């Protein structure tokens, strides 16, 4: 049982990096707690590739499980999506309304559900952020399981100055394969954009601007935020 330590470790590592984007804490990012921020703009999963042929011990409950994030931007928009396609190559289903996080630090949505039919299958939870310095990607490979899960104590928290609200974001809403359906019963319409180019690869100009923007984005996390996170960290380690 180390969700608190995992968060503490993620927080520390996050703070130790120069550029601040976002981290997928739970389900655990493919990249673990050390996200390669230079490659976080690479669709669909950032620096790593989601290989569904590999074993994973991460589970995600189809009727509701938590998604914990950590943002280094004062404001950021998030899309939470999922797919059963290897390497996250397409057919992403939107799992939660697009929302805006205001305030730096932890954000956790306690109950995100996926189509019931996914129980017993392996797949990918993807989180995409629309940040001032570009579109950023993280993924977790999970075993979808039946039922719902309550977050272990302390593993699902919102930062004290963090607020969230539903919003709209055309960049993000373009990154799901079938936005208006949640895979009700295999009614696969012939127009399903199963491998829409938007969700498979970043446009060259996009990654270019992410890289350019990255170099100028070093000092987002101020001392105040650092102090409050260190207090949280101290509490977590007690
Ligand atoms: C964090 O804030 C969001 C948005 O207000 C809310 O939906 C969510 O339940 C909060 N998370 C926790 C752990 O309280
Ligand atoms: C896309 O995903 C949905 C939900 O899992 C599934 O029902 C559908 O068959 C998939 N479509 C394609 C073209 O793979
Ligand atoms: Cu950033």
């Amino acid at each position: 049982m180390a969700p608190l330590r995992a968060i503490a470790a993620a927080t520390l590592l996050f703070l130790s990096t120069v550029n601040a984007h976002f981290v997928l804490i739970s389900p655990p990012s493919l990249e673990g707690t050390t996200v390669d921020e230079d490659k976080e703009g690479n669709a669909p999963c950032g620096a790593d590739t989601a290989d569904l042929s590999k074993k994973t011990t991460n589970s995600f409950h189809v009727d509701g499980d938590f998604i914990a994030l950590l943002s280094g931007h004062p404001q950021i928009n998030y899309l939470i999506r999922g797919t059963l396609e290897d390497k996250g190559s397409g057919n992403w289903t939107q799992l939660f309304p697009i929302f805006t996080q205001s305030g730096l630090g932890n954000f956790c949505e306690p109950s995100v559900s996926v189509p019931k039919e996914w129980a017993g299958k392996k797949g990918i939870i993807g989180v995409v952020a629309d940040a001032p310095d570009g579109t950023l990607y993280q993924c977790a490979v999970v075993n979808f399981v039946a039922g719902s899960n309550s977050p272990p104590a302390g593993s699902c928290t919102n930062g004290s100055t963090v607020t969230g609200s539903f919003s709209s974001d055309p960049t993000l809403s373009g990154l799901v394969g079938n936005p208006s359906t949640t895979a009700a019963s295999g009614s696969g319409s012939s127009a399903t954009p199963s491998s829409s180019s938007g969700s498979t690869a970043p446009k060259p100009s996009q990654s270019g601007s992410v890289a350019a923007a990255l170099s100028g984005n070093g000092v987002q996390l101020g001392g105040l935020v650092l102090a409050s996170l260190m207090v949280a960290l101290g509490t977590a380690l007690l």
Side-chain angles (χ1 to χ4, degrees):
M1 277 300 295
L4 288 171
R5 288 190 182 177
I7 289 180
T11 306
L12 264 189
L13 286 163
F14 184 68
L15 289 170
S16 69
T17 60
V18 178
N19 295 306
H21 287 322
F22 88 96
V23 179
L24 172 59
I25 297 173
S26 189
S29 166
L30 280 172
E31 299 183 58
T33 52
T34 44
V35 171
D36 183 344
E37 301 208 316
D38 289 346
K39 294 185 179 154
E40 205 168 353
N42 293 359
C45 290
D48 227 326
T49 301
D51 182 350
L52 293 184
S53 67
K54 287 188 187 158
K55 281 215 167 81
T56 178
T57 56
N58 303 322
S59 60
F60 195 92
H61 294 69
V62 297
D63 292 336
D65 214 323
F66 69 104
I67 294 190
L69 303 163
L70 181 64
S71 169
H73 285 283
Q75 187 164 311
I76 194 166
N77 290 350
Y78 283 116
L79 164 70
I80 297 174
R81 59 183 187 166
T83 185
L84 301 178
E85 288 206 7
D86 195 24
K87 300 182 171 44
S89 57
N91 198 17
W92 290 96
T93 298
Q94 184 170 341
L95 302 177
F96 197 75
I98 289 167
F99 64 93
T100 300
Q101 173 181 344
S102 300
L104 296 157
N106 293 101
F107 185 98
C108 182
E109 183 44 51
S111 183
V112 174
S113 55
V114 306
K116 280 186 184 298
E117 301 78 22
W118 291 9
K121 296 176 176 163
K122 195 188 287 182
I124 302 167
I125 297 286
V127 179
V128 191
D130 186 0
D133 50 10
T135 310
L136 308 165
Y137 300 83
Q138 287 286 284
C139 294
V141 172
V142 299
N143 299 308
F144 290 111
V145 296
S148 61
N149 182 35
S150 299
S155 61
C156 182
T157 60
N158 286 347
S160 55
T161 62
V162 166
T163 57
S165 59
F166 294 141
S167 55
S168 62
D169 187 313
T171 302
L172 295 180
S173 51
L175 295 175
V176 285
N178 37 3
S180 61
T181 65
T182 25
S185 56
S187 56
S189 88
S190 55
T192 305
S194 67
S195 58
S196 113
S197 59
S199 60
T200 51
K203 298 181 192 78
S205 60
Q206 204 178 346
S207 45
S209 66
V210 169
L214 276 173
S215 55
N217 186 46
V219 208
Q220 296 274 14
L221 288 170
L224 184 63
V225 176
L226 178 64
S228 66
L229 284 169
M230 291 311 285
V231 168
L233 177 63
T235 312
L237 290 177
L238 284 177

